[in-house]
C-alpha cells in the first residue's frame, strides 16, 4: 500500500540553525512522484517541490534543499540558516499510478517552530 | 497566491444542515481535487474531477457529493452534517488530470465548523 511517514511530529530550533525534516514513503510502483508542501499559520498549502522517481539528483533552492534516496525510500527536506518565517507545518506527499487519477497521499506533517 | 479561489473562507452551521463549498481552479487547469484536513485524519483526498467528469474517488462519505461545471468551477456539497465534519476543506487544481504526478495548487481552504 502507498504510505508516507513523517516521523517527526514537532521540531523546534533557534533561528540560523539548520534543520532537516524526514520523509519516508512506500509504493509498489517504479514510477512515482514526491512533493513537499508548506502550511504556514495562515492555513493555506503552498507548493514547494515536485520530484519524479527517475530523478535522484538533489535539488537546492535558496536556503531549501532536498535529498532524494531511492535506496532508503526517503525524500528529506533541509532548511539552512532557518528563519522565523519558516515556522509552519510541512507535508510530504506521494502520487503514483496505483492511485486513481492523481490523488496525493500526505504524511501527517512536521510542525517546525523557529524561535528568534 | 496560487490562483485557486475558494468561498466561503469560514462557515459555521448546525448539525443536520447542508452546505455548499465553491472552488474556482487556476486559469487553464482542467482538474479539481477536494481534500479534507482534520486533526485526527490529517489531509485526506476526497474526490477529483477532470473536465467535468469524476476521475477518482477517495474516502468521501455518501453524505458528501461534488460536481464540476462547464466553466470548470467545482462545488462540494456536504449534507446531514455531523460534529465530526468540522474540518478545513481544500480545493486544488492541476493542468491535466490523466494520471499521477501533476503538481496540484491549493486554494486557501474553507474552514467548516459544525455546532
Amino acid at each position: 500500500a502507498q504510505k508516507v511517514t513523517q516521523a517527526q511530529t514537532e521540531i523546534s530550533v533557534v533561528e540560523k540553525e539548520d534543520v532537516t525534516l524526514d520523509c519516508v514513503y512506500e509504493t509498489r510502483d517504479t514510477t512515482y512522484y514526491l512533493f513537499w508542501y508548506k502550511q504556514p499559520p495562515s492555513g493555506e498549502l503552498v507548493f514547494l517541490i515536485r520530484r519524479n522517481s527517475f530523478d535522484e539528483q538533489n535539488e537546492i533552492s535558496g536556503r531549501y534543499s532536498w535529498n532524494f534516496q531511492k535506496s532508503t525510500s526517503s525524500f528529506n527536506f533541509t532548511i539552512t540558516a532557518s528563519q522565523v518565517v519558516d515556522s509552519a507545518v510541512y507535508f510530504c506527499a506521494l502520487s503514483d499510478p496505483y492511485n486513481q487519477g492523481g490523488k496525493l497521499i500526505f504524511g501527517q506533517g512536521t510542525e517546525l517552530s523557529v524561535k528568534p | 497566491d496560487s490562483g485557486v479561489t475558494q468561498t466561503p473562507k469560514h462557515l459555521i452551521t448546525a448539525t443536520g444542515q447542508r452546505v455548499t463549498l465553491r472552488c474556482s481552479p487556476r486559469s487553464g487547469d482542467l482538474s479539481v481535487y477536494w481534500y479534507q484536513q482534520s486533526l485526527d485524519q490529517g489531509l485526506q483526498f476526497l474526490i477529483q474531477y477532470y473536465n467535468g467528469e469524476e476521475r477518482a474517488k477517495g474516502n468521501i462519505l455518501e453524505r458528501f457529493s461534488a460536481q464540476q461545471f462547464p466553466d470548470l468551477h467545482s462545488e462540494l456539497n456536504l449534507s446531514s452534517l455531523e460534529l465530526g465534519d468540522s474540518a478545513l476543506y481544500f480545493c486544488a487544481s492541476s493542468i491535466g488530470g490523466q494520471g499521477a504526478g501533476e503538481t496540484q495548487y491549493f486554494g486557501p481552504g474553507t474552514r467548516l465548523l459544525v455546532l
Side-chain angles (χ1 to χ4, degrees):
Chain A
Q2 299 79 34
K3 188 178 176 182
V4 176
T5 301
Q6 295 179 254
Q8 305 149 308
T9 306
E10 295 178 13
I11 300 177
S12 182
V13 299
V14 176
E15 213 171 14
K16 296 183 184 172
E17 281 186 33
D18 299 348
V19 57
T20 296
L21 282 60
D22 297 334
C23 172
V24 174
Y25 60 91
E26 295 175 32
T27 177
R28 294 173 288 181
D29 204 12
T30 55
T31 301
Y32 52 89
Y33 302 83
L34 296 164
F35 301 81
W36 277 93
Y37 286 85
K38 173 183 179 180
Q39 187 174 37
S42 50
E44 73 272 25
L45 276 168
V46 179
F47 166 73
L48 295 178
I49 190 169
R50 169 188 180 270
R51 177 52 55 89
N52 75 56
S53 55
F54 297 108
D55 182 3
E56 287 196 72
Q57 274 194 328
N58 291 333
E59 176 136 353
I60 298 175
S61 175
R63 296 183 297 105
Y64 294 173
S65 62
W66 290 268
N67 183 345
F68 176 34
Q69 291 201 336
K70 286 177 79 168
S71 59
T72 55
S73 297
S74 66
F75 186 42
N76 296 337
F77 173 31
T78 297
I79 302 175
T80 303
S82 59
Q83 300 176 2
V84 172
V85 292
D86 296 327
S87 296
V89 181
Y90 291 86
F91 291 94
C92 181
L94 166 71
S95 175
D96 72 25
Y98 280 101
N99 294 323
Q100 296 171 298
K103 79 174 188 182
L104 294 174
I105 296 172
F106 285 90
Q108 287 299 104
T110 297
E111 183 171 5
L112 174 65
S113 176
V114 182
K115 300 189 186 314
Chain B
D1 187 343
S2 67
V4 179
T5 61
Q6 288 187 249
T7 56
K9 288 190 84 170
H10 302 276
L11 202 47
I12 302 175
T13 187
T15 54
Q17 295 298 304
R18 173 189 169 95
V19 297
T20 297
L21 313 184
R22 183 187 168 105
C23 167
S24 291
R26 293 187 321 156
S27 176
D29 283 359
L30 297 178
S31 262
V32 168
Y33 309 77
W34 287 96
Y35 291 84
Q36 179 194 59
Q37 185 178 29
S38 62
L39 281 174
D40 51 345
Q41 298 288 334
L43 268 162
Q44 297 280 322
F45 169 76
L46 295 178
I47 198 164
Q48 175 195 358
Y49 279 82
Y50 170 70
N51 205 20
E53 294 192 3
E54 183 182 304
R55 174 69 56 168
K57 221 168 185 175
N59 300 323
I60 188 166
L61 299 172
E62 283 193 16
R63 301 182 285 108
F64 296 0
S65 65
Q67 59 185 112
Q68 187 179 28
F69 295 86
D71 67 351
L72 301 176
H73 91 271
S74 178
E75 293 181 356
L76 178 67
N77 299 297
L78 315 176
S79 61
S80 302
L81 285 167
E82 302 174 359
L83 296 178
D85 297 327
S86 296
L88 185 53
Y89 290 85
F90 283 109
C91 168
S93 73
S94 70
I95 195 160
Q98 300 281 5
E102 293 189 347
T103 297
Q104 295 178 26
Y105 295 91
F106 284 75
T110 293
R111 191 171 295 278
L112 173 66
L113 179 60
V114 182
L115 300 175

